[in-house]
Amino acid sequence: MNGSDTTNGKNGISALASSTRGDRLYRAIGRIDDDLLAEYEAAGVRPAAYRGLKRSGALAAASAAVLLALLLGGRLGEDVRETEQAQAPIVIASAEDASVSSIEGSYMPPEDGSYFYFEAVRKALDKHAGENVNYFVEIDLFADGSRLAVSDPRTRAEVNRLNKLGLDVGYSTVWTYAGTTKKKDYVYVSGTFTEEKLRNFPAADEIGYAFRFAADKDGTPDENDSAAKRIKIK
Amino acid sequence: MDEEEQRILNLFLNKDETAIAEAAKRYGAYCRSISYNILGDKRDAEECVNDTWLKTWNAIPPGRPRRLSFFIGRIARNLAFDRFKAKKTQKRGGEAQTVLLELDACLPAAESVEDSLLERELARAINAFLRTLPMSERHLFIARYWHGEPLAQIAKRFGMRENRVKAALFRTRSRLKIHLEQEENPDERKRYNER
């Protein structure tokens, strides 16, 4: 099924006769096979978000709902009232699917200005889409393809920037091994986000982000769920 | 198609009122980026995205896409391109004007070719051509000519210098032109292959 079959009124001979060669080729390229597009998407890190265009998921959904209400003479009011019945959100901080480990292997660093979710986070987002749920995640920060240490000034600056945007971001700890038997704390950048905030993350142009569920070295999830358990870094 | 995509598709197929809101939530940023690349104007892009949901609503059913995301992406791309053509204002255009100029030289100028290669045939030929390319070149082509991404952005994403991206795309376009000429004239292709 090709989207242009049903949406482009300019297909066919009349359109070809009236358009330039570049136009025709451009429209034909719109029909590139799904498997080639899927291969392309699977191969790369998600393109940088178009921050200037971003709207919140809630706003987009509300806008779409208005469109549909106009289309159907719908019952928008009831739906809005339902969603306004706020309850304390459940916090998800670890993989719910046992087949998805909290500890995940190597990965391509995200480009500056872009972000991606580890599989466990992505699955949780998909599973709980639209639910009253918060996500407590570890945020790996990158610049120019290199991971930034927590002590890096750019990390501090980014955490401050996100805080100023009203996001619940800070520092937390899990333990890791020091040598073969001793344990030591490992500090990481953490955040508690709604689905909407996570899906429309306000990435900085010069930083790349990877979101994962934090876990101790043995895979035990970090169940800190708010700034209350965060540590302070001087 | 993953479970979530299938779920949203089912909402459309069942004419469930939540389909558009769910699609907007999942594919809104994707469609905005496609539209913005073509139009280079936030408001126009946003209007295209809004139109995209209604087009999708009207198209499914009867349409039953294998991949909802690409189906919706194509709709956004077509709507944005139609809007771009309608406006005919190069100043407000995004990458589309440049992309079109680059593509213009790929199709042979002969009238016979223009008349005979209908869009569907053209699409088939392009798909066949893309499958002959190394993956990296295919991805550059899709980034530039399907998604309409600016060269600088492609260079950044693929970790290449911009002039290398340009050169690679130029080579691909040249090969595409030869491929399309051969599609038009199988005898020519035979002669070419026998060389």
Side-chain angles (χ1 to χ4, degrees):
Chain A
M1 177 61 60
N2 190 320
S4 58
D5 289 341
T6 52
T7 63
N8 187 351
K10 292 185 178 179
N11 289 344
I13 295 172
S14 61
L16 299 189
S18 63
S19 61
T20 67
R21 295 194 299 274
D23 289 4
R24 283 184 290 132
L25 201 47
Y26 187 82
R27 289 187 191 280
I29 289 168
R31 295 170 177 266
I32 286 176
D33 288 342
D34 281 3
D35 66 308
L36 295 178
L37 295 176
E39 176 205 74
Y40 169 79
E41 291 206 347
V45 174
R46 175 181 169 167
Y50 292 75
R51 276 168 294 289
L53 289 171
K54 266 198 207 165
R55 303 183 309 165
S56 72
L59 185 58
S63 171
V66 169
L67 281 171
L68 190 59
L70 288 172
L71 193 69
L72 300 173
R75 4 177 301 270
L76 188 61
E78 288 175 30
D79 296 337
V80 171
R81 278 192 296 281
E82 278 176 20
T83 59
E84 284 176 348
Q85 292 173 355
Q87 296 177 345
I90 296 168
V91 176
I92 297 175
S94 59
E96 297 175 292
D97 181 347
S99 67
V100 180
S101 169
S102 290
I103 301 174
E104 303 196 47
S106 60
Y107 57 94
M108 286 284 289
E111 294 284 347
D112 295 348
S114 71
Y115 55 89
F116 71 84
Y117 316 112
F118 276 75
E119 186 183 7
V121 175
R122 185 176 53 74
K123 282 196 167 183
L125 278 168
D126 288 344
K127 182 177 177 184
H128 297 284
E131 295 178 12
N132 186 24
V133 163
N134 281 348
Y135 298 86
F136 178 77
V137 290
E138 176 177 349
I139 311 168
D140 297 341
L141 299 179
F142 296 82
D144 297 327
S146 299
R147 188 165 173 184
L148 298 179
V150 167
S151 57
D152 192 298
R154 289 170 291 182
T155 299
R156 309 293 180 85
E158 179 57 9
V159 169
N160 288 338
R161 185 187 75 87
L162 294 170
N163 287 155
K164 284 178 184 169
L165 291 175
L167 294 180
D168 181 8
V169 174
Y171 303 94
S172 301
T173 60
V174 288
W175 64 260
T176 186
Y177 288 110
T180 53
T181 54
K182 288 184 179 177
K183 295 176 181 178
K184 67 174 184 180
D185 280 344
Y186 163 75
V187 181
Y188 64 94
V189 177
S190 62
T192 303
F193 303 103
T194 61
E195 178 193 356
E196 185 270 317
K197 287 282 193 294
L198 204 49
R199 287 195 189 274
N200 299 284
F201 189 76
D205 287 335
E206 66 280 10
I207 303 287
Y209 311 78
F211 296 97
R212 65 164 94 202
F213 290 128
D216 291 322
K217 190 65 178 176
D218 65 354
T220 309
D222 183 1
E223 297 290 359
N224 287 329
D225 63 0
S226 72
K229 288 189 178 180
R230 294 249 169 78
I231 61 168
K232 287 188 178 178
I233 291 189
K234 293 176 183 175
Chain B
M1 190 181 303
D2 65 28
E3 285 179 17
E4 179 66 2
E5 193 168 14
Q6 184 63 56
R7 187 181 69 81
I8 297 173
L9 174 59
N10 287 339
L11 294 176
F12 278 107
L13 289 170
N14 296 326
K15 286 297 176 197
D16 187 310
E17 294 175 25
T18 62
I20 290 180
E22 292 287 310
K25 196 161 60 179
R26 171 134 184 181
Y27 304 115
Y30 174 62
C31 292
R32 272 191 287 283
S33 70
I34 291 171
S35 301
Y36 182 76
N37 280 345
I38 293 169
L39 293 161
D41 182 275
K42 293 176 189 175
R43 196 171 64 182
D44 284 348
E46 196 60 51
E47 287 173 8
C48 269
V49 172
N50 285 337
D51 291 346
T52 297
W53 310 132
L54 291 180
K55 284 278 186 186
T56 306
W57 176 263
N58 290 329
I60 306 173
R64 194 185 179 93
R66 284 192 298 269
R67 282 292 303 268
L68 181 62
S69 57
F70 300 147
F71 184 87
I72 290 177
R74 284 192 185 97
I75 289 176
R77 187 179 185 273
N78 287 338
L79 286 171
F81 189 62
D82 286 345
R83 183 175 289 248
F84 168 81
K85 295 299 292 178
K87 291 213 163 199
K88 294 271 188 186
T89 50
Q90 295 187 18
K91 284 182 184 174
R92 294 188 66 194
E95 284 296 302
Q97 191 62 34
T98 319
V99 164
L100 288 178
L101 286 171
E102 289 172 12
L103 290 174
D104 203 43
C106 287
L107 266 190
E111 283 302 313
S112 61
V113 175
E114 292 189 17
D115 292 341
S116 60
L117 272 182
L118 296 177
E119 188 176 313
R120 282 174 190 276
E121 276 297 294
L122 198 49
R124 186 196 56 73
I126 291 167
N127 277 306
F129 168 73
L130 288 177
R131 292 179 194 283
T132 67
L133 292 178
M135 191 187 291
S136 58
E137 290 176 28
R138 184 159 63 236
H139 290 174
L140 285 176
F141 186 93
I142 291 173
R144 180 65 173 159
Y145 299 117
W146 199 96
H147 288 277
E149 286 189 43
L151 291 169
Q153 187 174 307
I154 295 172
K156 193 174 177 184
R157 283 211 308 118
F158 286 77
M160 298 169 68
R161 290 178 190 278
E162 193 172 326
N163 59 2
R164 281 196 57 217
V165 174
K166 264 188 197 175
L169 288 171
F170 177 78
R171 281 195 304 274
T172 303
R173 290 198 308 272
S174 302
R175 291 166 64 183
L176 175 60
K177 183 176 180 182
I178 292 169
H179 180 85
L180 294 176
E181 285 170 344
Q182 291 172 350
E183 283 285 323
E184 165 61 15
N185 188 345
D187 292 338
E188 179 68 23
R189 177 170 50 195
K190 192 177 173 187
R191 278 199 297 276
Y192 183 87
N193 290 338
E194 285 172 351
R195 270 185 241 166

